[in-house]
């Protein structure tokens, strides 16, 4: 066929993505289409739309009322469409270039056809289709599976059919509104062809906290809408297949989403009446091959006895916890944590400290602890330490994820950490969590990140988990105003910001003296007659062995540096704590030292005369010392562009030069005095902006603010 296709694209709140959707339309090999772009403020929308679409009259901009549901918007689109066929493309998604061609080539006399759907986290994706995989599948009895995602997108549908059947999206409900359109359609049309090669890329929205997609709506919203739509559509008039589809949808929602809410008993009151009404409509046969827990839940709901259901629900949660508990060693500990330790009383004067997930005795937790050791003698301390290091003050030490770890996590009134806690950590009512965090941000953080490129997660999951974490923080330390502003936004943080500077930097103010430095060097057997270069790069999100274990390939030419500067300098190599690569230091003995295992980088700062880093926050702290800083940023393009993006302009604001090659590095070290002179003014400005809160008393200020006397 070569009929006109009307593509309906609601664009509200998707200004960031719409050009990508339109671009994927512009590239279509099938060109006989119009695009209806719907928005409540066309003038402002046009400001962000690429010129090329504004000047092409196939792209039609249609004003819609504001604050209406997407169902209303799509209905307006249908009314305005001129095509013989309708296709829904959401403005945060995009399609492969043969999409419309394949659908129209294969639709024949069928009133509708569907392509394949793929989820993506990114703004461009491609799939390789091997020759010979050209497949069309006919969906008949199982055609309701095509709307298991409750969506009308990616169907090409004859406009005449829509008109004849007077199909409308629900305007009353925000989510699940496609079902009032799709269900009657599938009732009528019993065979739907499905084309494997035409692919619709559905974006997993990367900001479920500030900018959720409809599917990322709150459980409350979803439940409200689902009950509403279900009650409307679930009549005896519809086919057995449609009934089964709706019943299973409700049961699945109950099993996967609502049950989790019911861990908190009070949520039952919120949902119970709605549940009773809908669950009563379910055909009892649907439960035949379901598990016993679900069957019993449904029975209790049907009988409309809230108290009985509440008891049952609590019991079922206990059973689930036991089942999970029995599955692994960690599960058993978590079970005890959740069900036993957490029910025991608090120990009011107990503080649990943890730095970098128990990897070291370091960072701000160390300095807060040291201050408390001296000044808060009535407190007891536990340190999470994965190695057997002996700590001053002889606190109890526990390994992360050991039984004792869980025990103290439950019973301590105070918890101090500089990184995120495991997802299994549940903050008890009355417990006080002090998050020190571990650096002034340069790289975009959490909520400010566009796409997350770390292994084992995706943007949406990463942000949702992060948000759950930051909700548990009572206090957060800000090293400077700049960080304070970013933390509030990127961590969605509304509790107490301690604008005190970093406890970990107290030592840089209070002990920047030759005697201490010599002592520190002797402690680790470093020569005291040579100057020290510290190389402390950060990690790369996309270079890893596996989750949590990152790779780092040193590109700094250490042999050349040794040859050139070996008489005057030594170099300390300090990998980030998530980097698991080993270093080969053959022939570099006496010049290069691997200090990645050294617990406290603040002491390394004190020992060194020059810092070389890249995108690590270490330079914000090091700047307290006003010593030269060089930036070896050989991969800045990839790092800035693809991976993270920066908050500050690296070219203009850093207190030292950006060096791209080993030649540049050698040159800068050789002329370090000139470099310092050149960057003097910038260094001053930088120091004022980022270091002025670090006055040597941060630990004291934090302790006074957080720990009751
Ligand atoms: N660090 C270190 N050795 C390195 C790099 C970092 O000991 N080679 C320590 C420093 O204390 C640094 C902290 O780890 O301040 C954080 O490291 P970053 O390289 O800045 O990276 P990241 O862990 O991603 O934290 O708001 C800060 C950001 O979240 C950065």
């Amino acid at each position: 066929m070569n009929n006109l296709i009307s593509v309906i694209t609601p664009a509200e709140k998707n200004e960031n993505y719409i050009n990508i959707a339109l671009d994927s339309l512009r590239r279509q090999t099938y060109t006989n289409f119009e695009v209806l772009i719907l928005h409540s403020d066309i003038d402002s929308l046009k400001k962000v739309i690429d010129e090329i679409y504004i000047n092409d009259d196939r792209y039609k901009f249609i004003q819609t009322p504001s604050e209406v549901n997407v169902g209303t918007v799509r209905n307006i689109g249908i009314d305005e469409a001129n095509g013989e066929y309708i296709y829904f493309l959401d403005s945060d998604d995009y399609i492969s270039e043969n999409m419309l061609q394949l659908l129209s080539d294969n639709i024949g006399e069928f009133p509708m056809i569907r392509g394949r759907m793929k989820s993506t986290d990114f703004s461009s994706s491609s799939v390789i289709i091997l020759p010979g995989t050209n497949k069309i599948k006919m969906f008949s009895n199982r055609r309701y599976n095509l709307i298991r995602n409750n969506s009308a997108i990616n169907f090409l549908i004859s406009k005449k059919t829509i008109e004849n059947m007077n199909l409308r999206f629900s305007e009353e409900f925000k989510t699940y509104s496609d079902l009032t359109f799709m269900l009657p359609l599938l009732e009528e049309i019993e065979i739907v062809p499905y084309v494997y090669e035409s692919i619709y890329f559905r974006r997993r929205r990367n900001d479920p906290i500030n900018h959720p997609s409809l599917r990322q709506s709150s459980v409350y919203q979803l439940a409200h809408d689902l009950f509403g739509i279900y009650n409307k559509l679930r009549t005896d008039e519809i086919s057995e297949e449609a009934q089964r589809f709706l019943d299973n949808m409700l049961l699945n929602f109950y099993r996967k989403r609502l049950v989790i809410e019911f861990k908190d008993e009070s949520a039952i009151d919120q949902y119970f009446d709605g549940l009773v009404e809908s669950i009563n409509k379910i055909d009892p046969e649907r439960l035949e091959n379901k598990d016993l827990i679900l069957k019993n839940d449904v029975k209790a709901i049907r009988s409309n006895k809230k108290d009985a259901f509440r008891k049952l629900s609590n019991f079922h949660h206990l059973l689930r916890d036991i089942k999970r508990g029995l599955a692994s060693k960690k599960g058993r500990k978590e079970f005890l944590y959740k069900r036993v330790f957490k029910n025991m009383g608090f120990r009011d004067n107990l503080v649990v400290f943890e730095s970098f997930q128990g990897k070291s005795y370091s960072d701000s937790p160390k300095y807060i602890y040291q201050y408390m050791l001296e000044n808060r003698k009535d407190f007891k301390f536990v340190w999470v330490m994965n190695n057997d290091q002996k700590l001053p003050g002889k606190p109890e030490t526990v390994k992360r994820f050991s039984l004792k770890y869980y025990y103290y996590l439950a019973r301590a009134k105070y918890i101090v950490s500089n990184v995120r806690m495991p997802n299994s950590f549940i903050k008890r009512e009355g417990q006080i969590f002090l998050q020190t965090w571990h650096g002034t941000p340069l790289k975009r953080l959490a909520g400010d990140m566009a796409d997350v490129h770390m292994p084992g997660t995706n943007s949406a999951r990463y942000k949702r988990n992060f948000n759950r974490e930051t909700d548990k923080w009572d206090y957060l330390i800000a090293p400077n105003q700049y960080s304070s502003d970013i933390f509030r936004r990127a961590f969605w943080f509304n509790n107490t910001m301690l604008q005190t500077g970093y406890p970990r930097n107290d030592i840089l103010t209070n002990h920047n003296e030759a005697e201490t430095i010599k002592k520190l060097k002797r402690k680790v057997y470093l020569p005291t007659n040579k100057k020290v270069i510290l190389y402390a790069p950060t990690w790369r999100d996309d270079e890893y062995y596996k989750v949590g274990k990152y790779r780092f390939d040193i590109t700094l030419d250490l042999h050349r540096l040794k040859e050139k500067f070996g008489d005057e300098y030594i170099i300390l190599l300090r990998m980030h704590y998530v980097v698991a690569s080993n270093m080969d230091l053959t022939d570099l003995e006496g010049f290069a030292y691997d200090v990645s295992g050294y617990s406290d980088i603040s002491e390394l700062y004190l020992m060194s005369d020059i810092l070389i880093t890249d995108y690590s926050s270490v330079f914000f702290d090091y700047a307290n010392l006003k010593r030269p800083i060089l930036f070896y940023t050989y991969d800045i393009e990839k790092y800035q562009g693809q991976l993270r993006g920066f908050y500050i302009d690296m070219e203009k604001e850093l207190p030292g030069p950006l060096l791209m090659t080993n030649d540049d590095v050698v040159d800068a070290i050789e002329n370090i005095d000139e470099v310092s002179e050149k960057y003097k003014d910038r260094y001053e400005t930088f120091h004022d902006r980022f270091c002025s809160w670090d006055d040597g008393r941060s630990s004291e200020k934090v302790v006074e603010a957080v720990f009751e006397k």
Side-chain angles (χ1 to χ4, degrees), residues 356 363 418-419 437-445 466 483 487 491 502 504 535-539 541 573-578 596 598-602 604-605 613-621 639 644 647:
F356 298 124
D363 210 69
N418 66 345
V419 289
W437 202 240
H438 51 270
T440 293
L442 168 70
K443 317 174 261 183
R444 290 194 172 276
L445 275 179
F466 217 122
S483 301
F487 289 165
F491 289 149
Y502 267 159
R504 69 182 184 185
Y535 179 44
T538 194
W539 55 294
D541 306 43
L573 306 171
R574 164 67 171 204
M575 294 307 108
H576 189 275
Y577 54 90
V578 297
S596 304
Y598 192 86
S599 56
D600 188 353
I601 195 171
S602 306
L604 297 175
Y605 297 155
T613 183
D614 46 18
Y615 327 103
S616 177
S617 60
V618 297
F619 64 85
F620 291 105
D621 305 275
Y639 203 96
R644 286 278 186 117
Y647 288 115

Side-chain angles (χ1 to χ4, degrees), residues 116 133 465 486:
R116 188 148 52 114
T133 52
N465 283 339
I486 292 174

Side-chain angles (χ1 to χ4, degrees), residues 540-545 549-553 635 638:
R540 271 82 183 142
D541 306 43
D542 66 337
E543 294 176 23
Y544 50 85
Y545 301 109
K549 297 250 180 276
Y550 288 82
R551 213 183 50 174
F552 186 81
D553 304 318
D635 59 349
K638 174 183 93 168

Side-chain angles (χ1 to χ4, degrees), residues 346-402:
F346 270 136
R347 300 209 3 217
D348 283 342
N349 62 348
L350 188 68
V351 194
V352 172
F353 285 95
E354 183 197 57
S355 177
F356 298 124
Q357 302 164 330
K359 285 182 189 145
S360 59
Y361 172 59
S362 64
D363 210 69
S364 293
K366 165 180 168 181
Y367 292 93
I368 293 169
Y369 168 69
Q370 289 191 345
Y371 182 86
M372 292 192 78
L373 211 51
E374 286 297 310
N375 299 285
R376 294 299 187 94
K377 297 198 188 302
D378 45 337
F379 278 87
K380 289 222 164 354
F381 307 107
V382 172
W383 262 89
V384 180
M385 286 294 291
N386 296 341
N387 58 39
D388 295 325
Q389 198 182 333
K390 295 271 168 291
L391 305 190
K394 299 203 176 72
E396 169 131 34
T397 57
V398 298
K399 291 204 164 54
R400 199 161 186 250
F401 300 130
S402 64

Side-chain angles (χ1 to χ4, degrees), residues 414 432 434 475 498 701-708:
Y414 298 93
I432 293 171
L434 164 60
Y475 295 94
L498 299 170
K701 287 185 224 166
V702 168
V703 171
E704 294 310 320
V706 176
F707 299 90
E708 276 168 33

